[in-house]
Amino acid sequence: SSGVLATPMEIRIPRIKIKTHQLNQLLGERILIQIDSWKEGNTYPNGHYVKSLGKIGEIETEITALIEENQATFYPFSPLALACLPEISNK
């Protein structure tokens, strides 16, 4: 198990210490981390790896990261809502 410092997207949050057995697989990945504790006197909080969101820099990964960071929830439009949309012409 390797101990590393992960750098959050949000610059106001300090780096987070995590331990992982899969360090090589996580390098270059945008990952979701849960902060577990921050003991008094420690420079960095402790956390753990939750899941990988994809390769850093890929558009789908970055969109997913923003959605996770802002805790946004999306649901498909209902058939009734879709029925209100105007028709698209292929002119």
Side-chain angles (χ1 to χ4, degrees), residues 3-75:
V4 296
L5 289 173
T7 303
M9 290 176 58
E10 172 57 61
I11 62 171
R12 295 177 291 180
I13 298 174
R15 293 187 292 171
I16 304 160
K17 286 194 299 187
I18 63 169
K19 290 184 180 178
T20 180
H21 294 287
Q22 48 190 339
L23 179 59
N24 289 333
Q25 295 92 326
L26 298 178
L27 292 175
E29 294 280 313
R30 180 80 62 206
I31 60 175
L32 186 62
I33 294 174
Q34 174 73 42
I35 295 175
D36 298 319
S37 65
W38 194 347
K39 295 180 180 170
E40 189 174 334
N42 286 2
T43 304
Y44 304 108
N46 295 306
H48 69 273
Y49 165 80
V50 175
K51 67 179 178 178
S52 176
L53 304 177
K55 295 281 181 205
I56 292 173
E58 292 183 359
I59 190 72
E60 287 298 321
T61 300
E62 301 304 327
I63 289 170
T64 302
L66 290 171
I67 290 169
E68 289 281 353
E69 181 179 36
N70 292 288
Q71 300 175 343
T73 307
F74 296 94
Y75 301 102

